[in-house]
């Protein structure tokens, strides 16, 4: 078992421990009932997504400054993992909204801005997939990733900037009992570890893909320079 497999196994074990805390340690909510337990993973996934997109931001800035391939690979890895966690955030939010609001979706400021965030970084990944690998694609994607991060504070502060259906920041306002707060903080820590491990694994994959492209490019160049055989 290599270090990536060990890290992945540890991250999975932590998430299972977090699930145990959510369902066995945290008390039930008197108003919302069992559906309130979605909160722990929902909010933790959102914060993990913020962290992933911060990796894209920093990686993009570094790449635009010195064209570091490592920074570009970290940005690509962070974007993919961030989109995964944003998807989890949206799905968990919809599962919570149906029994509480009576609808899976409403064009609330928090929900809408989160969807926009998902679209921005899904577009980032689409640019990387469709564009020819190289300096130009990396620079365009870096700009998208940097400007896309503007939506992160919009998502985070939307419930305080506008009147929304979405609940306010209950953690900051000390609205959680001690057991719920401890469960949330533990789940958050486990989710952040999972995000870091996924980024590390994806970075390794991106490194191997870059190496494959680097090997293939000279072969294409030699093939293009060879004269066609006479009929």
């Amino acid at each position: 078992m290599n270090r990536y497999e060990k890290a992945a196994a540890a991250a999975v074990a932590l998430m299972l421990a977090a699930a145990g805390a959510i369902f066995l340690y945290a008390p039930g909510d008197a108003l919302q009932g069992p559906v309130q337990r979605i909160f722990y993973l929902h909010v933790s996934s959102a914060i993990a997504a913020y962290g992933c997109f911060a990796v894209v931001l920093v990686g993009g800035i570094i790449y635009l400054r010195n064209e570091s391939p490592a920074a570009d690979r970290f940005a690509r890895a962070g974007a993919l993992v961030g989109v995964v966690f944003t998807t989890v955030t949206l799905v968990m939010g919809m599962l919570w909204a149906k029994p509480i609001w009576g609808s899976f979706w409403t064009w609330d400021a928090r929900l809408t801005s989160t969807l926009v965030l998902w679209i921005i970084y899904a577009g980032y990944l689409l640019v990387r997939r469709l564009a020819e690998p190289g300096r130009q694609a990396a620079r365009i994607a870096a700009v998208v990733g940097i400007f896309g991060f503007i939506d992160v504070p919009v998502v985070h502060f939307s419930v305080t900037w506008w009147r929304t259906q979405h609940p306010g920041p209950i953690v900051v306002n000390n609205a959680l009992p001690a057991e719920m707060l401890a469960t949330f903080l533990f789940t958050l820590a486990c989710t952040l570890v999972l995000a870091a491990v996924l980024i590390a694994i994806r970075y390794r994959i991106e490194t191997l893909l870059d190496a494959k492209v680097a090997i293939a490019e000279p072969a294409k160049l030699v093939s293009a320079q060879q004269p066609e055989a006479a009929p």
Side-chain angles (χ1 to χ4, degrees), residues 79-168:
L80 180 58
V81 178
V83 168
V84 170
F85 277 105
T86 306
T87 303
V88 172
T89 301
L90 288 169
V91 172
M92 291 293 100
M94 291 169 67
L95 292 176
W96 174 87
K98 179 60 176 176
I100 301 301
W101 293 345
S103 174
F104 284 113
W105 185 266
T106 179
W107 293 103
D108 174 88
R110 170 63 67 83
L111 273 66
T112 304
S113 57
T114 303
L115 178 61
V116 170
L117 187 68
W118 186 92
I119 291 171
I120 290 171
Y121 285 96
Y124 175 100
L125 295 175
L126 189 63
V127 168
R128 302 312 302 258
R129 185 169 184 83
L130 297 181
E132 188 72 22
R135 179 174 177 270
Q136 183 176 5
R139 291 182 68 85
I140 293 173
V143 172
V144 173
I146 291 169
F147 281 97
F149 192 80
I150 294 172
D151 193 40
V152 169
V154 173
V155 173
H156 186 73
F157 293 108
S158 58
V159 292
T160 56
W161 289 349
W162 298 289
R163 180 179 297 178
T164 69
Q165 276 187 272
H166 196 282

Side-chain angles (χ1 to χ4, degrees), residues 4-231:
Y4 295 104
E5 292 171 335
K6 291 178 181 178
V12 171
L14 284 173
M15 292 305 297
L16 290 175
I22 291 170
F23 289 102
L24 301 177
Y25 175 71
D29 185 82
L31 296 177
Q32 298 183 18
V35 73
Q36 182 272 341
R37 298 185 191 276
I38 289 175
F39 153 81
Y40 301 104
L41 182 60
H42 172 66
V43 178
S44 297
S45 296
I47 295 173
Y50 296 164
C52 292
F53 296 141
V55 171
V56 182
L57 171 68
V58 174
I61 292 172
I62 294 174
Y63 183 82
L64 290 178
R65 289 190 61 184
N66 57 25
E67 297 191 358
S68 166
D72 183 50
R73 286 193 290 268
F74 267 116
R76 281 157 25 207
L80 180 58
V81 178
V83 168
V84 170
F85 277 105
T86 306
T87 303
V88 172
T89 301
L90 288 169
V91 172
M92 291 293 100
M94 291 169 67
L95 292 176
W96 174 87
K98 179 60 176 176
I100 301 301
W101 293 345
S103 174
F104 284 113
W105 185 266
T106 179
W107 293 103
D108 174 88
R110 170 63 67 83
L111 273 66
T112 304
S113 57
T114 303
L115 178 61
V116 170
L117 187 68
W118 186 92
I119 291 171
I120 290 171
Y121 285 96
Y124 175 100
L125 295 175
L126 189 63
V127 168
R128 302 312 302 258
R129 185 169 184 83
L130 297 181
E132 188 72 22
R135 179 174 177 270
Q136 183 176 5
R139 291 182 68 85
I140 293 173
V143 172
V144 173
I146 291 169
F147 281 97
F149 192 80
I150 294 172
D151 193 40
V152 169
V154 173
V155 173
H156 186 73
F157 293 108
S158 58
V159 292
T160 56
W161 289 349
W162 298 289
R163 180 179 297 178
T164 69
Q165 276 187 272
H166 196 282
I170 59 176
V171 176
V172 176
N173 294 335
N174 297 319
L176 290 178
E179 295 88 348
M180 287 185 175
L181 179 59
T183 300
F184 166 70
L185 294 176
F186 179 65
T187 303
L188 174 60
C190 294
T191 306
L192 291 175
V193 170
L194 177 62
V197 169
L198 290 176
I199 288 175
I201 292 173
R202 188 63 203 180
Y203 177 84
R204 176 59 178 165
I205 293 172
E206 294 293 344
T207 302
L208 295 175
L209 290 174
D210 283 353
K212 184 178 179 180
V213 171
I215 293 172
E217 284 301 321
K220 289 182 181 179
L221 184 60
V222 170
S223 177
Q225 290 176 344
Q226 289 178 346
E228 294 184 2

